[in-house]
Amino acid sequence: MNALRMKAGLVQRADARAWWHAALFAVPAVAFLLALYYHWFAVRDRHLIFLYFHDMGAERFDTTPFGWVTVGRYWMTGFVAGGAVMVLYGTANLIAGRVRKSYHAPEWWRLWLLCAIPLVIGVPAIVMTVNDPVLPLRNAAQVTVALLIALALAVWFGELAARQPSTYLLLLVDGVALTGLYFVTSGIDDLLEGRTGRAAPYLIVALFGLVLLAIGSAITSWRRQLRIPSTSVLFMGYASVQYLLVPLIHHLFFSYDEGTYIPSADNYFIFVHSVPGQLLMWGIMLALALGVTRLRVWLRKLRGPEPAA
């Protein structure tokens, strides 16, 4: 009985240490995110950050304060913010894992939960009370849910960054490659509508994606110590790049109209216009991730067993 109690006490202490370890990251993450939302919704001029009444060249783009384009910009703040957290958190774990070999990142779900509780309160409190217009509950809920989804994706690969940096970096490169292949859809749309000038950059990016996938496949075949990501992990790597990293880069470097603005949701999500179209595209990208994973497993087997030392 005493042995069981001692074992239970050790488990409880280990669990408590795990929660404290996660809290060391959660506190600055929550402070950063709340400051970011306060800056976007309270400090910045709403007409500039969310492009109220912006002329997008067609009548179907409703850019009034609660038009569908603007509402998409509201909840896209979650993915831009998630991209910032992904970059900062991933970098911190890459460095910590190199400085201290025994370091382990917090379990992602502990960190996410510790962040989610104050954010569920803090984000609506900001967006529903400051500046003009304040957001109604429905839009505040959309903003908060988008942030929580993005945050889960942002902290998902923390342990991989800390313990297997080469695999983590290669996964990000694969994410860039798959995102490049995704953009071929925009190029095809432009080609079908006769806009060859606009189609060319998208098709070049897609070709670049193919080259990156080929390089990644060669590296994983050559370096046996690298883990080949499973289909689901590869798909998550793609999603973290397309839905977090690219919107962040878009916001910081490619959106400027008297100040940076939040990108439109329909640049990244098909479901804004068509839910079946979004599901089809995710299915295609998942199938592509499956194909890449099986190809890499086959290439490694083709090389034969590791030679004896």
Side-chain angles (χ1 to χ4, degrees):
M1 181 65 71
N2 288 335
L4 289 175
R5 288 178 178 173
M6 184 177 296
K7 185 177 180 180
L10 291 173
V11 170
Q12 289 176 351
R13 283 195 291 273
D15 195 51
R17 284 196 296 270
W19 283 109
W20 277 111
H21 181 42
L24 291 176
F25 288 91
V27 171
V30 169
F32 169 73
L33 289 170
L34 291 180
L36 199 57
Y37 271 82
Y38 187 82
H39 175 71
W40 283 337
F41 283 87
V43 177
R44 288 289 307 275
D45 184 334
R46 291 288 184 87
H47 289 75
L48 300 181
I49 186 69
F50 298 117
L51 297 184
Y52 289 174
F53 306 106
H54 184 65
D55 182 9
M56 297 182 67
E59 293 182 2
R60 66 186 181 91
F61 293 103
D62 188 351
T63 58
T64 57
F66 293 102
W68 71 266
V69 174
T70 309
V71 167
R73 294 188 197 277
Y74 291 151
W75 58 259
M76 273 301 295
T77 56
F79 292 92
V80 174
V85 171
M86 184 184 78
V87 170
L88 295 173
Y89 183 64
T91 302
N93 281 293
L94 278 170
I95 295 172
R98 309 290 67 72
V99 172
R100 185 179 178 184
K101 297 300 182 183
S102 61
Y103 171 81
H104 287 271
E107 293 170 284
W108 76 268
W109 63 268
R110 291 182 194 271
L111 177 56
W112 180 87
L113 188 60
L114 288 174
C115 291
I117 294 172
L119 289 176
V120 165
I121 300 171
V123 171
I126 292 172
V127 303
M128 295 178 68
T129 60
V130 298
N131 217 323
D132 183 44
V134 297
L135 300 194
L137 179 60
R138 177 182 177 182
N139 297 127
Q142 291 171 341
V143 169
T144 307
V145 169
L147 175 61
L148 295 182
I149 292 172
L151 185 61
L153 196 55
V155 301
W156 189 282
F157 294 112
E159 181 63 8
L160 189 64
R163 307 306 304 161
Q164 300 178 48
S166 297
T167 301
Y168 173 70
L169 293 174
L170 183 59
L171 184 64
L172 290 181
V173 172
D174 285 337
V176 171
L178 290 172
T179 299
L181 290 180
Y182 167 84
F183 284 124
V184 75
T185 57
S186 298
I188 292 173
D189 284 344
D190 285 331
L191 278 178
L192 292 176
E193 296 180 12
R195 298 189 297 265
T196 55
R198 288 183 55 180
Y202 291 115
L203 298 179
I204 291 172
V205 168
L207 179 61
F208 179 67
L210 281 175
V211 172
L212 284 181
L213 282 179
I215 293 173
S217 298
I219 291 173
T220 54
S221 174
W222 172 53
R223 298 192 64 185
R224 295 175 184 272
Q225 66 269 37
L226 286 175
R227 287 178 55 189
I228 297 177
S230 66
T231 299
S232 59
V233 170
L234 185 56
F235 182 81
M236 291 289 287
Y238 147 72
S240 67
V241 171
Q242 175 159 333
Y243 299 121
L244 300 186
L245 186 59
V246 175
L248 175 66
I249 293 172
H250 187 168
H251 170 65
L252 292 177
F253 303 110
F254 297 99
S255 62
Y256 194 83
D257 190 341
E258 298 184 53
T260 55
Y261 56 83
I262 300 297
S264 175
D266 65 334
N267 288 329
Y268 302 96
F269 294 97
I270 300 173
F271 70 72
V272 172
H273 303 292
S274 170
V275 172
Q278 182 71 77
L279 295 176
L280 175 62
M281 182 51 63
W282 280 337
I284 292 172
M285 299 308 296
L286 189 60
L288 184 57
L290 174 63
V292 171
T293 301
R294 291 191 172 181
L295 172 64
R296 291 176 176 179
V297 170
W298 177 76
L299 287 173
R300 184 168 288 185
K301 287 181 178 178
L302 198 63
R303 288 197 62 200
E306 182 77 19

